[in-house]
Amino acid sequence: NPTGGVHGEQRLKEIAEVLQDFPKVAILADEIYERLVYEETEDDKHVSFAAIPGMFERTLTVNGFSKAYAMTGMRLGYLAAPQPISKACTIIQSQFTSCAGSISQAAGVAALTKVEESEMEANIEIMRGKRDYVISQLATMGGVNLASPPTGAFYVLPDVSSFYDGDDTQLCIDLLKSKKLALVPGSSFGAPGTIRISYATSMEELGVAMNKLREFLAESK
């Protein structure tokens, strides 16, 4: 989030090599999208940073059920970290939320024990189809550039800097006002001149959204 990019094992090893020079630096790895990777090449596979040699003892892995199992409202996540760190986190959490709600915990157990791997794989193919549809539609819009297709998550971050003199925030505001279509300006992620599109919705809704975006950009030339 927001690019849908995936760091492959080789890139993670390169990062780990740099970190060897900074032994006091801990790594916080948010791997919430680990089950939403399309694996179109060998380098697209998800590799946990803690699995990289020398990184296990230094890595705090954050994960949860919101993305892969579509359990956003359950607010159920977890942390895997060296014991001194996890113990400190437990002390802090106990003063804020005590623990995850019992309903959320039961839902998490059901997700892990009742959802078949085949269903997870089928979901990936559905998301891949939605991604490909959005990419194909963006390719028909003049002035829109997508440097590299996303290989994970469910976002696309196209470059629209040829519109509005690169003011992505104003573009999104006017798009919302005129077409009732809500997108997120890339400036929110440190990527000015881009817009974030989420394709985690129905194909019907995506069709409406792409048509509205095409119309808006054509009117903005």
Side-chain angles (χ1 to χ4, degrees), residues 57-72:
E57 299 80 5
R58 303 171 56 179
T59 303
L60 292 71
T61 302
V62 176
N63 212 319
F65 294 78
S66 297
K67 309 303 180 183
Y69 295 98
M71 289 170 51
T72 307

Side-chain angles (χ1 to χ4, degrees), residues 138 141 144 158 160 163-164 167-186 194-198 208-220:
L138 292 175
M141 302 179 196
V144 177
V160 292
F163 300 91
Y164 279 73
D167 189 345
D168 53 296
T169 300
Q170 191 59 51
L171 185 154
C172 287
I173 290 173
D174 289 350
L175 176 61
L176 179 61
K177 288 180 178 178
S178 65
K179 301 295 182 181
K180 302 297 187 291
L181 177 61
L183 301 180
V184 181
T194 65
I195 53 175
R196 192 195 73 172
I197 301 171
S198 169
V208 172
M210 291 296 100
N211 288 336
K212 286 186 175 183
L213 179 60
R214 181 184 293 102
E215 292 171 2
F216 176 80
L217 295 178
E219 295 165 2
S220 300

Side-chain angles (χ1 to χ4, degrees), residues 19-53:
L19 288 168
Q20 297 292 356
D21 295 331
F22 303 93
K24 294 185 178 180
V25 174
I27 298 90
L28 180 62
D30 182 353
E31 301 184 8
I32 192 73
Y33 294 100
E34 69 165 325
R35 297 305 305 269
L36 288 168
V37 177
Y38 303 117
E39 297 187 13
E40 293 173 337
T41 68
E42 188 67 23
D43 201 45
D44 292 334
K45 290 184 177 181
H46 169 77
V47 176
S48 179
F49 197 78
I52 302 299

Side-chain angles (χ1 to χ4, degrees), residues 118-150:
S118 58
E119 185 174 346
M120 299 295 290
E121 293 173 356
N123 184 55
I124 291 294
E125 292 309 309
I126 291 172
M127 297 305 292
R128 188 198 303 274
K130 293 177 180 179
R131 179 203 62 171
D132 292 347
Y133 171 74
V134 170
I135 291 175
S136 69
Q137 293 301 300
L138 292 175
T140 67
M141 302 179 196
V144 177
N145 179 49
L146 184 62
S148 58

